[in-house]
């Protein structure tokens, strides 16, 4: 039986090309049965594939004497197999408090740090890869699927354990726990049992001890195997949708690196739109953590809201509804000259800000002569529906350019006005959402001009500032 299990793991590794161009493997060894089985099989495979093994044991500083027992068991096993063992000790509860995270997340962080440090110390030749080996098995996969499904998840959460991805391999993911137990028995391999795995305090343990056994005994004895197969199929679907979403998001990238989903975006299937939005947010954020379906939905819902509506996203990102569509961008770009500074303009009052000094007043219209000064403008106050602002330009800004209601992008208007490129990000604008009412010192929006039907006028005076100087 042990040889069949070994052959099964070897075929699984071949199928997933785990050891292609592999020069070094850092194997996580807790001392438990799963990691001991994985280490033994890796030790049998290393000559055939030509990689070095370094065992990595992390003592989290949580279980006291039992953790020390596990550490000594891992070290003893590695000495017997002739495998170098790197031991890392951390006070995870203390670190979790410092980092303001949970124990589980802090544990993942220190383990990743340990693996990276261990691999850094292993020299490999040429283009050989270095990988991290984790001892997850099919039961772990099934438990994770059920856990994620109960908490709420998408396709990614139902296929989160991959055989090989991002420098991490899981050689025994093809084995069920009962096969691992058989392998340990036949090979006479010593291992330890983590007492916390026997307790029902943790959700995963309750799934392991109560849910899966019922499914296997009363529904189908091959439950774990079938869930593993389903997870693989879901993973393939996830990869397909990710590729489609990433391709669509890339097509919507602007010259500034922002993502603009125009109205034509709505013609794509809903699932592709969701993946495109998630990809856009992740790319702009530079990470996946803390980006969830809630954020994706919030962005897509902007299509139903008025121009100017926006939502905050993780990592200092925002999505905003513009005339052109939905723009996703950094709130504070690294280039301060390109940062859009924005101030709410008080009515019947004054504003002194970095963009200049402004005075406003509202009065009744009674056929007075319209003011035509360069830095004073009269607007039809009754056409203004929302708060107006003074700011610099943003993607999606536009003006209404004739009485028929035709619109033109602000950039195009600035080109028509022969405004130098270097000045375009500095010019103050009077805006209502994405609609520009007045390019200060220049063109005014036709929609807000005084007509015979005007009843109330908003007068805005620009009285100098950096731009005026």
């Amino acid at each position: 039986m042990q040889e069949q299990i070994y052959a099964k793991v070897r075929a699984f590794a071949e199928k997933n090309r785990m050891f292609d161009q592999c020069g070094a493997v850092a194997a996580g060894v807790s001392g438990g049965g799963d990691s001991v089985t994985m280490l033994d099989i890796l030790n049998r495979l290393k000559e055939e594939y030509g990689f070095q093994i370094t065992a990595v044991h992390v003592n989290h500083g949580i279980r006291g004497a039992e953790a020390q027992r596990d550490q000594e068991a891992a070290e003893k096993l590695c000495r017997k197999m002739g495998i170098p063992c790197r031991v890392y000790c951390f006070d995870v509860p203390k670190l979790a408090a410092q980092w303001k995270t949970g124990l589980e997340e802090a544990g993942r962080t220190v383990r990743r740090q340990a693996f990276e440090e261990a691999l850094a110390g292993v020299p490999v030749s040429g283009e050989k890869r270095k990988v991290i080996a984790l001892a997850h098995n099919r039961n772990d996969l099934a438990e994770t699927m059920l856990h994620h499904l109960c908490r709420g998840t998408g396709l990614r959460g139902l296929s989160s354990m991959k055989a090989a991805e991002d420098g991490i391999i899981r050689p025994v993911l093809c084995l069920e726990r009962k096969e691992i137990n058989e392998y340990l028995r036949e090979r006479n391999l010593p291992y330890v049992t983590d007492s916390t795995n026997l307790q029902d305090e943790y959700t995963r343990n309750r799934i392991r001890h109560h849910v899966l056994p019922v499914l296997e005994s009363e529904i189908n004895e091959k439950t774990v195997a079938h869930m593993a197969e389903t997870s693989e199929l879901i993973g393939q679907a996830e990869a397909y949708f990710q590729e489609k979403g990433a391709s669509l998001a890339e097509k919507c990238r602007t010259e500034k690196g922002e993502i603009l989903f125009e109205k034509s975006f709505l013609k794509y299937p809903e699932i592709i739109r969701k993946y495109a939005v998630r990809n856009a947010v992740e790319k702009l954020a530079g990470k996946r953590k803390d980006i969830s379906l809630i954020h994706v939905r919030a962005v897509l819902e902007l299509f139903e809201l008025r121009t100017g509506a926006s939502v905050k996203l993780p990592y200092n990102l925002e999505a905003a509804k513009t005339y052109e569509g939905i723009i996703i961008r950094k709130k504070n770009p690294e280039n301060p000259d390109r940062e859009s500074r924005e101030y709410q303009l008080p009515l019947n009052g004054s504003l002194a800000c970095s963009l200049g000094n402004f005075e406003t007043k509202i009065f009744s219209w009674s056929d007075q002569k319209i003011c035509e000064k360069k830095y004073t403008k009269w607007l039809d106050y009754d056409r203004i529906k929302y708060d107006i602002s003074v700011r610099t330009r943003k993607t999606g800004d536009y003006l209404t350019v004739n009485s028929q209601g035709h619109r033109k992008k602000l950039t195009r208007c600035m080109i028509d006005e022969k405004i130098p490129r270097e000045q375009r990000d500095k010019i103050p604008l009077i805006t209502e959402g994405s609609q520009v009412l007045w390019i200060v010192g220049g063109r005014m929006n036709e929609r807000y001009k005084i007509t015979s039907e005007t009843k109330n006028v908003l007068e805005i005076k620009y009285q100098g500032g950096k731009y005026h100087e």
Side-chain angles (χ1 to χ4, degrees):
M1 184 67 175
Q2 63 164 298
E3 291 306 318
Q4 292 177 350
I5 293 172
Y6 172 77
K8 184 176 182 179
V9 173
R10 185 187 179 282
F12 183 67
E14 278 285 320
K15 175 185 174 183
N16 292 284
R17 306 179 68 177
M18 290 185 185
F19 305 119
D20 285 7
Q21 291 296 307
C22 181
V25 176
V29 180
S30 66
D34 299 345
S35 63
V36 168
T37 295
M38 180 185 73
L39 187 65
D40 185 72
I41 292 176
L42 287 173
N43 203 33
R44 296 173 68 180
L45 289 169
K46 68 179 182 182
E47 296 301 327
E48 178 180 354
Y49 289 97
F51 57 79
Q52 306 172 65
I53 303 175
T54 299
V56 176
H57 179 86
V58 179
N59 186 329
H60 296 80
I62 295 176
R63 294 182 294 115
E66 187 176 280
Q68 185 62 33
R69 177 208 67 180
D70 294 356
Q71 178 182 321
E72 292 170 359
E75 290 176 308
K76 182 178 179 180
L77 178 66
C78 290
R79 282 195 299 270
K80 183 177 179 181
M81 290 185 176
I83 295 172
C85 182
R86 298 286 300 275
V87 174
Y88 297 86
C89 298
F90 298 93
D91 187 343
V92 170
K94 182 178 179 180
L95 292 172
Q98 288 177 358
W99 298 338
K100 295 181 173 57
T101 64
L103 288 176
E104 189 174 351
E105 184 174 347
R108 281 196 297 268
T109 300
V110 299
R111 287 195 297 273
R112 185 75 194 200
Q113 178 182 326
F115 280 120
E116 290 175 352
E117 185 176 324
L119 280 176
V122 181
V124 296
S125 60
E127 299 299 318
K128 293 284 188 178
R129 296 185 304 127
K130 299 180 180 182
V131 298
I132 296 167
L134 303 180
H136 295 119
N137 59 53
R138 275 186 167 182
N139 290 68
D140 294 321
L141 183 152
E143 292 159 12
T144 300
M145 284 183 73
L146 287 172
H147 194 197
H148 287 175
L149 188 61
C150 292
R151 291 191 306 173
T153 187
L155 297 185
R156 183 182 295 177
L158 296 177
S159 59
S160 57
M161 283 193 184
K162 302 289 196 304
E165 184 180 48
D166 298 331
I168 295 175
I169 62 172
R170 294 181 171 88
V172 296
L173 193 60
C174 59
L175 302 180
E176 292 186 34
R177 193 163 284 126
K178 59 188 177 185
E179 293 176 290
I180 288 173
N181 291 338
E182 181 65 23
Y183 187 88
L184 290 166
R185 187 187 65 78
E186 290 193 20
R187 295 281 289 176
N188 195 30
L189 294 169
Y191 64 94
V192 295
T193 300
D194 183 340
S195 63
T196 61
N197 289 336
L198 304 176
Q199 303 167 4
D200 281 349
E201 180 180 350
Y202 300 103
T203 303
R204 184 179 295 277
N205 286 355
R206 292 196 290 273
I207 293 172
R208 177 179 301 171
H209 299 152
H210 305 291
V211 179
L212 272 180
V214 170
L215 293 176
E216 290 181 305
S217 63
E218 299 187 20
I219 306 298
N220 191 317
E221 63 180 7
K222 293 186 177 181
T223 290
V224 171
H226 290 162
M227 289 181 71
E229 292 167 0
T230 300
S231 181
E232 184 176 359
L233 289 173
I234 291 173
Q236 292 170 2
E238 165 75 3
Y240 174 81
F241 289 131
Q242 277 192 20
E243 180 183 350
K244 291 294 183 183
S247 175
L248 178 54
E250 190 58 35
K251 290 177 183 176
C252 298
R253 186 178 293 274
T254 70
E255 292 180 359
K256 303 169 193 171
E258 300 167 335
I259 306 294
L260 175 62
F261 294 121
E262 298 180 328
K263 292 175 183 177
S264 60
F265 178 71
L266 296 173
K267 73 181 182 182
Y268 292 92
E270 181 180 359
I271 192 166
I272 302 300
R273 298 201 303 267
K274 287 180 177 178
Y275 274 84
V277 170
R278 179 186 281 274
N279 180 272
V281 176
E282 290 176 351
K283 285 287 178 65
L284 290 174
K287 56 188 75 177
R288 287 183 172 183
K289 187 177 179 296
D290 298 326
I291 299 168
S292 69
L293 187 58
I294 292 173
H295 301 117
V296 173
R297 286 173 178 160
V299 172
L300 290 172
E301 285 171 1
L302 285 173
F303 277 105
E304 307 300 322
L305 302 180
R306 64 174 177 81
T307 298
S310 65
V311 295
K312 294 180 180 178
L313 299 170
Y315 307 109
N316 202 37
L317 296 177
E318 70 171 355
K321 174 72 176 291
T322 71
Y323 169 67
E324 295 173 298
I326 306 299
I327 187 80
I328 303 177
R329 61 197 170 200
K330 286 277 187 184
K331 285 188 192 175
N332 297 307
E334 293 181 5
N335 182 356
D337 289 337
R338 186 63 189 94
E339 181 178 348
S340 179
R341 293 161 288 170
E342 184 166 358
Y343 309 89
Q344 185 170 332
L345 185 65
L347 304 182
N348 280 325
S350 61
L351 170 70
C353 64
S354 64
L355 295 173
N357 302 309
F358 296 83
E359 285 190 3
T360 65
K361 68 177 180 181
I362 300 169
F363 58 88
S364 299
W365 167 250
S366 56
D367 203 27
Q368 299 99 318
K369 182 179 179 181
I370 298 174
C371 179
E372 297 181 350
K373 294 181 181 178
K374 186 175 183 181
Y375 292 106
T376 300
K377 281 291 178 282
W378 286 6
L379 290 79
D380 188 330
Y381 175 70
D382 299 312
R383 287 185 173 271
I384 298 172
K385 303 301 181 185
Y386 305 103
D387 292 338
I388 59 175
S389 301
V390 177
R391 61 170 172 82
T392 49
R393 67 173 177 160
K394 292 181 180 179
T395 301
D397 286 342
Y398 68 95
L399 284 84
T400 300
V401 294
N402 58 32
S403 57
Q404 288 75 44
H406 294 154
R407 296 171 171 179
K408 186 180 291 187
K409 292 181 180 179
L410 173 64
T411 300
R412 184 70 254 173
C413 291
M414 286 183 162
I415 292 171
D416 293 344
E417 292 279 299
K418 295 183 171 52
I419 297 173
R421 182 187 296 272
E422 62 273 13
Q423 290 291 323
R424 294 173 195 168
D425 292 323
K426 301 175 183 178
I427 295 177
L429 307 171
I430 306 300
T431 64
E432 181 184 27
S434 292
Q435 185 155 207
V436 176
L437 282 61
W438 177 32
I439 302 173
V440 175
R443 189 168 189 170
M444 185 177 159
N445 192 310
E446 290 290 327
R447 172 178 166 76
Y448 297 86
K449 286 187 174 182
I450 305 300
T451 69
S452 59
E453 297 178 356
T454 298
K455 295 179 180 179
N456 296 289
V457 172
L458 170 64
E459 180 183 81
I460 303 176
K461 289 183 179 181
Y462 177 71
Q463 298 178 320
K466 291 183 180 178
Y467 166 65
H468 188 68
E469 293 166 1

